[in-house]
Amino acid sequence: MSSAPVPAPIIETERLNLRPFAADDFAAYAAYHVRGDVYRYLYSAPPDRETLQRQYTSVVRPVFAREGDVFKLAVVIRETGQLVGEVLLKFANENALQGEVGYIFDPTYAGKGYATEATRAIIDYGFRHLGLHRIFARLDTANRGSIGVVERLKLRREAHFIENDRFSGIWGDEFVYAVLNHEWTSRKD
């Protein structure tokens, strides 16, 4: 992968557009980012309004050039233009060409397959356009919805970390799922 900054892509799927966040997306972004049920598995409390505004400012212009950089893309229903969540791809390890995938969706739109469709698209982009070798996801073991997303996409469970994180005095376990470029690109599904 080149060290030149890669601008955030616009990715179209059958039902969704994945695109950089725009200034006028803030209200929809804030609507799900202030919900406790959304942050339940993120090991942090929902941000206050000021913190949320700072976070949002940093996602509006994502870059992907060096380790630690993150694309956060808005997930929008093509037919209606409604923002329903976000996917991210983090450049996790430059030397090993590894990326980390993540996603946050408004629970109002749960059960419609949007998270799976958007996550499939960003993983495909990471392999086909960024030349990543391995993409992984880290998930709280109690997050059945997120586990369903990665298992529908046929990522392999590679690790189960016991009590490796703590939030509000409660220890949590974590799964790591992953897929290699040659495994992903050779699939027929």
Side-chain angles (χ1 to χ4, degrees):
M1 186 170 146
S2 156
S3 62
V6 176
I10 297 173
I11 303 168
E12 293 184 354
T13 70
E14 183 179 337
R15 301 178 299 161
L16 305 170
N17 284 333
L18 284 60
R19 59 160 175 78
F21 279 93
D24 60 353
D25 291 328
F26 182 72
Y29 175 89
Y32 63 88
H33 272 274
V34 298
R35 294 178 59 153
D37 57 341
V38 168
Y39 275 76
R40 180 175 170 202
Y41 301 114
L42 299 178
Y43 295 115
S44 66
D48 61 43
R49 188 77 174 176
E50 184 179 309
T51 303
L52 187 62
Q53 185 63 58
R54 277 195 315 272
Q55 284 176 345
Y56 188 73
T57 301
S58 73
V59 302
V60 172
R61 290 197 171 88
V63 223
F64 201 82
R66 64 181 190 274
E67 194 167 305
D69 286 351
V70 179
F71 277 148
K72 273 193 181 179
L73 299 177
V75 178
V76 178
I77 299 171
R78 290 174 71 183
E79 189 174 290
T80 65
Q82 178 63 47
L83 187 144
V84 296
E86 63 199 67
V87 291
L88 70 84
L89 185 61
K90 178 180 179 180
F91 200 4
N93 185 311
E94 192 170 356
N95 188 52
L97 296 173
Q98 291 190 51
E100 179 180 356
V101 67
Y103 38 88
I104 303 173
F105 280 80
D106 184 332
T108 307
Y109 300 95
K112 298 178 180 359
Y114 296 142
T116 302
E117 186 173 333
T119 303
R120 176 183 289 115
I122 196 72
I123 289 172
D124 197 63
Y125 183 85
F127 287 138
R128 295 183 191 279
H129 298 282
L130 300 176
L132 295 174
H133 171 69
R134 178 177 178 268
I135 296 177
F136 64 92
R138 299 177 311 128
L139 311 168
D140 186 299
T141 61
N143 190 344
R144 305 309 309 161
S146 280
I147 291 167
V149 168
V150 295
E151 288 185 349
R152 278 188 290 283
L153 294 172
K154 297 182 177 89
L155 274 67
R156 166 185 53 262
R157 186 184 302 172
E158 294 186 337
H160 181 174
F161 296 109
I162 310 297
E163 295 184 1
N164 70 312
D165 210 341
R166 186 170 144 167
F167 176 65
S168 295
I170 300 169
W171 288 103
D173 292 4
E174 183 177 73
F175 288 142
V176 174
Y177 284 80
V179 64
L180 299 174
N181 186 321
H182 68 85
E183 295 169 328
W184 184 266
T185 56
S186 67
R187 291 183 180 170
K188 303 285 189 242
D189 55 10

